[in-house]
Amino acid sequence: MTPLETKDAWMSYQWEQGGGLPGVIVLLSDNDDNNSNDVEMVKTQKKNGKRRLFPIWMEEAIVDDNDDDNKSNKQAQEETIRYKVTDMGLFSTELENNSHSALVRFFVDNNDKNPSNTTTTTTTMVWDVTFQSKSRPELWKSITQQNIQTATDNLASYSATPYVCKRTTKLKKEKSRHYYCQIVQLRIA
């Protein structure tokens, strides 16, 4: 997979659907228009790049996405996504506010010297997370490493399996703020 294809898979599976980790991911929108088209609402939510993680109530937002820089070059050598936690949710007593951020890099692995494989691009993903804890730093480091390892293993599995079906269900919240949640995803080996 190229860096752009890998980034797109990460956005779809990890960001929008939770990457196979336990919990529910809800994409957020600030649009107050109750009469807006559902398809347009989902596009806005993906563009805004905000999500809430349940049951921990943590909110994350994409703060930098080099998508616009490489649209004309589908074979870009590197793609990046930068996000931060904007609301610590239930972890506010454990982690410092505004200290959690991450940079996810996708780049061509120039060390892949397999001569029989000249048509396939090997992409390396580096997921760099930083945060400050109020206490128990080794515990939070271990939890973060485990979650990222599981999410990357799941992404590799997701990318290798053909896509069959996807369903989105709209969940409404009072005061016209809309949430969307991925309900069904079927894949076959």
PDB file of all heavy atoms in Angstrom, residues 56 58 85 87-100 131-141 143-144:
ATOM      1  N   ILE A  56     -15.032   6.316  27.891  1.00  0.00           N
ATOM      2  CA  ILE A  56     -14.127   7.162  28.674  1.00  0.00           C
ATOM      3  C   ILE A  56     -14.378   8.658  28.463  1.00  0.00           C
ATOM      4  O   ILE A  56     -13.732   9.480  29.107  1.00  0.00           O
ATOM      5  CB  ILE A  56     -12.652   6.818  28.379  1.00  0.00           C
ATOM      6  CG1 ILE A  56     -12.330   7.041  26.905  1.00  0.00           C
ATOM      7  CG2 ILE A  56     -12.334   5.404  28.832  1.00  0.00           C
ATOM      8  CD1 ILE A  56     -10.864   6.870  26.555  1.00  0.00           C
ATOM      9  N   MET A  58     -13.447  10.753  26.334  1.00  0.00           N
ATOM     10  CA  MET A  58     -12.323  11.536  25.835  1.00  0.00           C
ATOM     11  C   MET A  58     -12.670  12.080  24.445  1.00  0.00           C
ATOM     12  O   MET A  58     -13.262  11.371  23.636  1.00  0.00           O
ATOM     13  CB  MET A  58     -11.065  10.669  25.764  1.00  0.00           C
ATOM     14  CG  MET A  58      -9.813  11.423  25.361  1.00  0.00           C
ATOM     15  SD  MET A  58      -8.374  10.330  25.291  1.00  0.00           S
ATOM     16  CE  MET A  58      -7.993  10.214  27.033  1.00  0.00           C
ATOM     17  N   VAL A  85      -5.765  15.510  22.092  1.00  0.00           N
ATOM     18  CA  VAL A  85      -6.924  15.302  22.960  1.00  0.00           C
ATOM     19  C   VAL A  85      -7.386  16.675  23.420  1.00  0.00           C
ATOM     20  O   VAL A  85      -6.607  17.446  23.979  1.00  0.00           O
ATOM     21  CB  VAL A  85      -6.561  14.394  24.163  1.00  0.00           C
ATOM     22  CG1 VAL A  85      -7.713  14.328  25.150  1.00  0.00           C
ATOM     23  CG2 VAL A  85      -6.177  13.011  23.670  1.00  0.00           C
ATOM     24  N   ASP A  87     -10.367  17.048  25.237  1.00  0.00           N
ATOM     25  CA  ASP A  87     -11.093  16.862  26.498  1.00  0.00           C
ATOM     26  C   ASP A  87     -10.674  15.503  27.051  1.00  0.00           C
ATOM     27  O   ASP A  87     -10.904  14.478  26.418  1.00  0.00           O
ATOM     28  CB  ASP A  87     -12.602  16.916  26.261  1.00  0.00           C
ATOM     29  CG  ASP A  87     -13.436  16.774  27.536  1.00  0.00           C
ATOM     30  OD1 ASP A  87     -12.890  16.383  28.592  1.00  0.00           O
ATOM     31  OD2 ASP A  87     -14.646  17.037  27.463  1.00  0.00           O
ATOM     32  N   MET A  88     -10.060  15.488  28.222  1.00  0.00           N
ATOM     33  CA  MET A  88      -9.544  14.247  28.806  1.00  0.00           C
ATOM     34  C   MET A  88     -10.628  13.311  29.315  1.00  0.00           C
ATOM     35  O   MET A  88     -10.348  12.153  29.623  1.00  0.00           O
ATOM     36  CB  MET A  88      -8.576  14.552  29.955  1.00  0.00           C
ATOM     37  CG  MET A  88      -7.279  15.144  29.503  1.00  0.00           C
ATOM     38  SD  MET A  88      -6.331  13.954  28.551  1.00  0.00           S
ATOM     39  CE  MET A  88      -4.825  14.841  28.351  1.00  0.00           C
ATOM     40  N   GLY A  89     -11.856  13.786  29.430  1.00  0.00           N
ATOM     41  CA  GLY A  89     -12.930  12.923  29.896  1.00  0.00           C
ATOM     42  C   GLY A  89     -12.639  12.357  31.272  1.00  0.00           C
ATOM     43  O   GLY A  89     -12.213  13.069  32.173  1.00  0.00           O
ATOM     44  N   LEU A  90     -12.844  11.052  31.430  1.00  0.00           N
ATOM     45  CA  LEU A  90     -12.640  10.405  32.723  1.00  0.00           C
ATOM     46  C   LEU A  90     -11.178  10.359  33.155  1.00  0.00           C
ATOM     47  O   LEU A  90     -10.883  10.093  34.314  1.00  0.00           O
ATOM     48  CB  LEU A  90     -13.218   8.991  32.697  1.00  0.00           C
ATOM     49  CG  LEU A  90     -14.727   8.884  32.485  1.00  0.00           C
ATOM     50  CD1 LEU A  90     -15.151   7.428  32.449  1.00  0.00           C
ATOM     51  CD2 LEU A  90     -15.483   9.636  33.568  1.00  0.00           C
ATOM     52  N   PHE A  91     -10.251  10.629  32.217  1.00  0.00           N
ATOM     53  CA  PHE A  91      -8.832  10.605  32.553  1.00  0.00           C
ATOM     54  C   PHE A  91      -8.311  11.959  33.022  1.00  0.00           C
ATOM     55  O   PHE A  91      -7.107  12.133  33.205  1.00  0.00           O
ATOM     56  CB  PHE A  91      -7.995  10.122  31.361  1.00  0.00           C
ATOM     57  CG  PHE A  91      -8.244   8.693  30.993  1.00  0.00           C
ATOM     58  CD1 PHE A  91      -8.261   8.306  29.672  1.00  0.00           C
ATOM     59  CD2 PHE A  91      -8.460   7.732  31.964  1.00  0.00           C
ATOM     60  CE1 PHE A  91      -8.489   6.978  29.326  1.00  0.00           C
ATOM     61  CE2 PHE A  91      -8.689   6.406  31.621  1.00  0.00           C
ATOM     62  CZ  PHE A  91      -8.703   6.039  30.298  1.00  0.00           C
ATOM     63  N   SER A  92      -9.182  12.930  33.232  1.00  0.00           N
ATOM     64  CA  SER A  92      -8.733  14.266  33.622  1.00  0.00           C
ATOM     65  C   SER A  92      -8.039  14.276  34.987  1.00  0.00           C
ATOM     66  O   SER A  92      -7.250  15.169  35.268  1.00  0.00           O
ATOM     67  CB  SER A  92      -9.897  15.255  33.605  1.00  0.00           C
ATOM     68  OG  SER A  92     -10.876  14.866  34.550  1.00  0.00           O
ATOM     69  N   THR A  93      -8.302  13.293  35.818  1.00  0.00           N
ATOM     70  CA  THR A  93      -7.617  13.223  37.113  1.00  0.00           C
ATOM     71  C   THR A  93      -6.249  12.553  36.997  1.00  0.00           C
ATOM     72  O   THR A  93      -5.441  12.639  37.918  1.00  0.00           O
ATOM     73  CB  THR A  93      -8.459  12.440  38.143  1.00  0.00           C
ATOM     74  OG1 THR A  93      -8.681  11.120  37.660  1.00  0.00           O
ATOM     75  CG2 THR A  93      -9.781  13.138  38.401  1.00  0.00           C
ATOM     76  N   GLU A  94      -5.991  11.882  35.870  1.00  0.00           N
ATOM     77  CA  GLU A  94      -4.740  11.137  35.690  1.00  0.00           C
ATOM     78  C   GLU A  94      -3.764  11.807  34.722  1.00  0.00           C
ATOM     79  O   GLU A  94      -2.559  11.671  34.869  1.00  0.00           O
ATOM     80  CB  GLU A  94      -5.043   9.726  35.167  1.00  0.00           C
ATOM     81  CG  GLU A  94      -5.791   8.858  36.143  1.00  0.00           C
ATOM     82  CD  GLU A  94      -4.902   8.352  37.273  1.00  0.00           C
ATOM     83  OE1 GLU A  94      -3.681   8.277  37.106  1.00  0.00           O
ATOM     84  OE2 GLU A  94      -5.450   8.021  38.331  1.00  0.00           O
ATOM     85  N   LEU A  95      -4.296  12.498  33.698  1.00  0.00           N
ATOM     86  CA  LEU A  95      -3.448  13.075  32.655  1.00  0.00           C
ATOM     87  C   LEU A  95      -3.596  14.591  32.641  1.00  0.00           C
ATOM     88  O   LEU A  95      -4.690  15.120  32.860  1.00  0.00           O
ATOM     89  CB  LEU A  95      -3.829  12.491  31.291  1.00  0.00           C
ATOM     90  CG  LEU A  95      -3.745  10.975  31.178  1.00  0.00           C
ATOM     91  CD1 LEU A  95      -4.278  10.506  29.833  1.00  0.00           C
ATOM     92  CD2 LEU A  95      -2.322  10.484  31.387  1.00  0.00           C
ATOM     93  N   GLU A  96      -2.483  15.279  32.354  1.00  0.00           N
ATOM     94  CA  GLU A  96      -2.492  16.741  32.301  1.00  0.00           C
ATOM     95  C   GLU A  96      -3.324  17.225  31.111  1.00  0.00           C
ATOM     96  O   GLU A  96      -3.189  16.693  30.001  1.00  0.00           O
ATOM     97  CB  GLU A  96      -1.063  17.282  32.173  1.00  0.00           C
ATOM     98  CG  GLU A  96      -0.196  17.050  33.380  1.00  0.00           C
ATOM     99  CD  GLU A  96      -0.575  17.913  34.573  1.00  0.00           C
ATOM    100  OE1 GLU A  96      -1.288  18.919  34.394  1.00  0.00           O
ATOM    101  OE2 GLU A  96      -0.147  17.562  35.686  1.00  0.00           O
ATOM    102  N   ASN A  97      -4.153  18.240  31.348  1.00  0.00           N
ATOM    103  CA  ASN A  97      -4.944  18.836  30.272  1.00  0.00           C
ATOM    104  C   ASN A  97      -4.032  19.389  29.179  1.00  0.00           C
ATOM    105  O   ASN A  97      -2.971  19.935  29.464  1.00  0.00           O
ATOM    106  CB  ASN A  97      -5.810  19.977  30.816  1.00  0.00           C
ATOM    107  CG  ASN A  97      -7.236  19.540  31.016  1.00  0.00           C
ATOM    108  OD1 ASN A  97      -7.633  18.467  30.601  1.00  0.00           O
ATOM    109  ND2 ASN A  97      -8.002  20.382  31.673  1.00  0.00           N
ATOM    110  N   ASN A  98      -4.464  19.241  27.939  1.00  0.00           N
ATOM    111  CA  ASN A  98      -3.767  19.768  26.756  1.00  0.00           C
ATOM    112  C   ASN A  98      -2.345  19.239  26.594  1.00  0.00           C
ATOM    113  O   ASN A  98      -1.536  19.864  25.919  1.00  0.00           O
ATOM    114  CB  ASN A  98      -3.753  21.305  26.772  1.00  0.00           C
ATOM    115  CG  ASN A  98      -5.144  21.876  26.744  1.00  0.00           C
ATOM    116  OD1 ASN A  98      -5.993  21.420  25.978  1.00  0.00           O
ATOM    117  ND2 ASN A  98      -5.399  22.856  27.589  1.00  0.00           N
ATOM    118  N   SER A  99      -2.028  18.118  27.194  1.00  0.00           N
ATOM    119  CA  SER A  99      -0.671  17.571  27.058  1.00  0.00           C
ATOM    120  C   SER A  99      -0.620  16.392  26.089  1.00  0.00           C
ATOM    121  O   SER A  99       0.466  15.987  25.684  1.00  0.00           O
ATOM    122  CB  SER A  99      -0.138  17.118  28.424  1.00  0.00           C
ATOM    123  OG  SER A  99      -0.797  15.934  28.850  1.00  0.00           O
ATOM    124  N   HIS A 100      -1.762  15.855  25.713  1.00  0.00           N
ATOM    125  CA  HIS A 100      -1.803  14.635  24.900  1.00  0.00           C
ATOM    126  C   HIS A 100      -1.921  14.996  23.424  1.00  0.00           C
ATOM    127  O   HIS A 100      -2.884  15.627  23.008  1.00  0.00           O
ATOM    128  CB  HIS A 100      -3.005  13.789  25.330  1.00  0.00           C
ATOM    129  CG  HIS A 100      -3.017  12.418  24.742  1.00  0.00           C
ATOM    130  ND1 HIS A 100      -3.306  12.171  23.426  1.00  0.00           N
ATOM    131  CD2 HIS A 100      -2.781  11.205  25.295  1.00  0.00           C
ATOM    132  CE1 HIS A 100      -3.268  10.878  23.198  1.00  0.00           C
ATOM    133  NE2 HIS A 100      -2.936  10.273  24.315  1.00  0.00           N
ATOM    134  N   PHE A 131       2.340  12.712  26.044  1.00  0.00           N
ATOM    135  CA  PHE A 131       1.407  13.207  27.056  1.00  0.00           C
ATOM    136  C   PHE A 131       2.143  13.314  28.379  1.00  0.00           C
ATOM    137  O   PHE A 131       3.217  12.754  28.555  1.00  0.00           O
ATOM    138  CB  PHE A 131       0.171  12.307  27.199  1.00  0.00           C
ATOM    139  CG  PHE A 131       0.483  10.902  27.619  1.00  0.00           C
ATOM    140  CD1 PHE A 131       0.559  10.547  28.958  1.00  0.00           C
ATOM    141  CD2 PHE A 131       0.686   9.917  26.659  1.00  0.00           C
ATOM    142  CE1 PHE A 131       0.851   9.245  29.337  1.00  0.00           C
ATOM    143  CE2 PHE A 131       0.973   8.610  27.028  1.00  0.00           C
ATOM    144  CZ  PHE A 131       1.056   8.276  28.377  1.00  0.00           C
ATOM    145  N   GLN A 132       1.541  14.041  29.311  1.00  0.00           N
ATOM    146  CA  GLN A 132       2.082  14.151  30.660  1.00  0.00           C
ATOM    147  C   GLN A 132       1.052  13.591  31.623  1.00  0.00           C
ATOM    148  O   GLN A 132      -0.125  13.943  31.543  1.00  0.00           O
ATOM    149  CB  GLN A 132       2.375  15.607  31.012  1.00  0.00           C
ATOM    150  CG  GLN A 132       3.482  16.202  30.192  1.00  0.00           C
ATOM    151  CD  GLN A 132       3.684  17.675  30.505  1.00  0.00           C
ATOM    152  OE1 GLN A 132       2.962  18.270  31.271  1.00  0.00           O
ATOM    153  NE2 GLN A 132       4.695  18.250  29.879  1.00  0.00           N
ATOM    154  N   SER A 133       1.522  12.746  32.518  1.00  0.00           N
ATOM    155  CA  SER A 133       0.607  12.180  33.506  1.00  0.00           C
ATOM    156  C   SER A 133       0.786  12.887  34.841  1.00  0.00           C
ATOM    157  O   SER A 133       1.867  13.378  35.154  1.00  0.00           O
ATOM    158  CB  SER A 133       0.841  10.678  33.662  1.00  0.00           C
ATOM    159  OG  SER A 133       2.134  10.446  34.145  1.00  0.00           O
ATOM    160  N   LYS A 134      -0.281  12.933  35.600  1.00  0.00           N
ATOM    161  CA  LYS A 134      -0.233  13.521  36.946  1.00  0.00           C
ATOM    162  C   LYS A 134       0.362  12.522  37.933  1.00  0.00           C
ATOM    163  O   LYS A 134       0.936  12.916  38.943  1.00  0.00           O
ATOM    164  CB  LYS A 134      -1.641  13.936  37.384  1.00  0.00           C
ATOM    165  CG  LYS A 134      -2.210  15.061  36.538  1.00  0.00           C
ATOM    166  CD  LYS A 134      -3.620  15.419  36.959  1.00  0.00           C
ATOM    167  CE  LYS A 134      -4.179  16.525  36.095  1.00  0.00           C
ATOM    168  NZ  LYS A 134      -5.556  16.881  36.440  1.00  0.00           N
ATOM    169  N   SER A 135       0.175  11.255  37.654  1.00  0.00           N
ATOM    170  CA  SER A 135       0.730  10.193  38.496  1.00  0.00           C
ATOM    171  C   SER A 135       0.815   8.913  37.665  1.00  0.00           C
ATOM    172  O   SER A 135       0.247   8.820  36.595  1.00  0.00           O
ATOM    173  CB  SER A 135      -0.156   9.966  39.725  1.00  0.00           C
ATOM    174  OG  SER A 135      -1.439   9.529  39.331  1.00  0.00           O
ATOM    175  N   ARG A 136       1.537   7.953  38.138  1.00  0.00           N
ATOM    176  CA  ARG A 136       1.692   6.626  37.529  1.00  0.00           C
ATOM    177  C   ARG A 136       2.114   6.681  36.052  1.00  0.00           C
ATOM    178  O   ARG A 136       1.461   6.082  35.193  1.00  0.00           O
ATOM    179  CB  ARG A 136       0.401   5.830  37.685  1.00  0.00           C
ATOM    180  CG  ARG A 136      -0.044   5.706  39.127  1.00  0.00           C
ATOM    181  CD  ARG A 136      -1.235   4.853  39.285  1.00  0.00           C
ATOM    182  NE  ARG A 136      -2.426   5.506  38.756  1.00  0.00           N
ATOM    183  CZ  ARG A 136      -3.628   4.963  38.765  1.00  0.00           C
ATOM    184  NH1 ARG A 136      -3.795   3.762  39.274  1.00  0.00           N
ATOM    185  NH2 ARG A 136      -4.666   5.593  38.280  1.00  0.00           N
ATOM    186  N   PRO A 137       3.198   7.367  35.719  1.00  0.00           N
ATOM    187  CA  PRO A 137       3.587   7.507  34.313  1.00  0.00           C
ATOM    188  C   PRO A 137       3.882   6.177  33.617  1.00  0.00           C
ATOM    189  O   PRO A 137       3.557   6.018  32.436  1.00  0.00           O
ATOM    190  CB  PRO A 137       4.836   8.396  34.366  1.00  0.00           C
ATOM    191  CG  PRO A 137       5.332   8.289  35.757  1.00  0.00           C
ATOM    192  CD  PRO A 137       4.135   8.021  36.623  1.00  0.00           C
ATOM    193  N   GLU A 138       4.475   5.220  34.330  1.00  0.00           N
ATOM    194  CA  GLU A 138       4.789   3.928  33.706  1.00  0.00           C
ATOM    195  C   GLU A 138       3.519   3.153  33.346  1.00  0.00           C
ATOM    196  O   GLU A 138       3.460   2.467  32.330  1.00  0.00           O
ATOM    197  CB  GLU A 138       5.704   3.092  34.603  1.00  0.00           C
ATOM    198  CG  GLU A 138       7.113   3.645  34.706  1.00  0.00           C
ATOM    199  CD  GLU A 138       7.790   3.777  33.345  1.00  0.00           C
ATOM    200  OE1 GLU A 138       7.722   2.833  32.524  1.00  0.00           O
ATOM    201  OE2 GLU A 138       8.383   4.846  33.106  1.00  0.00           O
ATOM    202  N   LEU A 139       2.492   3.262  34.171  1.00  0.00           N
ATOM    203  CA  LEU A 139       1.213   2.614  33.876  1.00  0.00           C
ATOM    204  C   LEU A 139       0.617   3.188  32.588  1.00  0.00           C
ATOM    205  O   LEU A 139       0.217   2.447  31.692  1.00  0.00           O
ATOM    206  CB  LEU A 139       0.233   2.805  35.034  1.00  0.00           C
ATOM    207  CG  LEU A 139      -1.211   2.372  34.726  1.00  0.00           C
ATOM    208  CD1 LEU A 139      -1.297   0.859  34.604  1.00  0.00           C
ATOM    209  CD2 LEU A 139      -2.154   2.896  35.790  1.00  0.00           C
ATOM    210  N   TRP A 140       0.567   4.519  32.478  1.00  0.00           N
ATOM    211  CA  TRP A 140      -0.041   5.156  31.304  1.00  0.00           C
ATOM    212  C   TRP A 140       0.787   4.934  30.052  1.00  0.00           C
ATOM    213  O   TRP A 140       0.248   4.782  28.959  1.00  0.00           O
ATOM    214  CB  TRP A 140      -0.295   6.630  31.582  1.00  0.00           C
ATOM    215  CG  TRP A 140      -1.358   6.762  32.624  1.00  0.00           C
ATOM    216  CD1 TRP A 140      -1.202   7.180  33.919  1.00  0.00           C
ATOM    217  CD2 TRP A 140      -2.739   6.388  32.492  1.00  0.00           C
ATOM    218  NE1 TRP A 140      -2.396   7.095  34.590  1.00  0.00           N
ATOM    219  CE2 TRP A 140      -3.362   6.616  33.736  1.00  0.00           C
ATOM    220  CE3 TRP A 140      -3.513   5.884  31.452  1.00  0.00           C
ATOM    221  CZ2 TRP A 140      -4.706   6.367  33.968  1.00  0.00           C
ATOM    222  CZ3 TRP A 140      -4.848   5.629  31.676  1.00  0.00           C
ATOM    223  CH2 TRP A 140      -5.432   5.866  32.913  1.00  0.00           C
ATOM    224  N   LYS A 141       2.102   4.874  30.210  1.00  0.00           N
ATOM    225  CA  LYS A 141       2.969   4.553  29.078  1.00  0.00           C
ATOM    226  C   LYS A 141       2.669   3.140  28.577  1.00  0.00           C
ATOM    227  O   LYS A 141       2.525   2.913  27.374  1.00  0.00           O
ATOM    228  CB  LYS A 141       4.436   4.676  29.501  1.00  0.00           C
ATOM    229  CG  LYS A 141       5.410   4.293  28.419  1.00  0.00           C
ATOM    230  CD  LYS A 141       6.828   4.394  28.927  1.00  0.00           C
ATOM    231  CE  LYS A 141       7.808   3.883  27.896  1.00  0.00           C
ATOM    232  NZ  LYS A 141       9.195   3.902  28.417  1.00  0.00           N
ATOM    233  N   ILE A 143      -0.108   1.329  29.026  1.00  0.00           N
ATOM    234  CA  ILE A 143      -1.457   1.280  28.441  1.00  0.00           C
ATOM    235  C   ILE A 143      -1.447   1.859  27.034  1.00  0.00           C
ATOM    236  O   ILE A 143      -2.035   1.287  26.105  1.00  0.00           O
ATOM    237  CB  ILE A 143      -2.467   2.010  29.344  1.00  0.00           C
ATOM    238  CG1 ILE A 143      -2.707   1.205  30.618  1.00  0.00           C
ATOM    239  CG2 ILE A 143      -3.775   2.279  28.604  1.00  0.00           C
ATOM    240  CD1 ILE A 143      -3.509   1.939  31.675  1.00  0.00           C
ATOM    241  N   THR A 144      -0.770   2.991  26.846  1.00  0.00           N
ATOM    242  CA  THR A 144      -0.694   3.627  25.528  1.00  0.00           C
ATOM    243  C   THR A 144       0.012   2.718  24.526  1.00  0.00           C
ATOM    244  O   THR A 144      -0.459   2.526  23.402  1.00  0.00           O
ATOM    245  CB  THR A 144       0.023   4.985  25.634  1.00  0.00           C
ATOM    246  OG1 THR A 144      -0.696   5.808  26.552  1.00  0.00           O
ATOM    247  CG2 THR A 144       0.096   5.669  24.285  1.00  0.00           C
TER     248      THR A 144
END
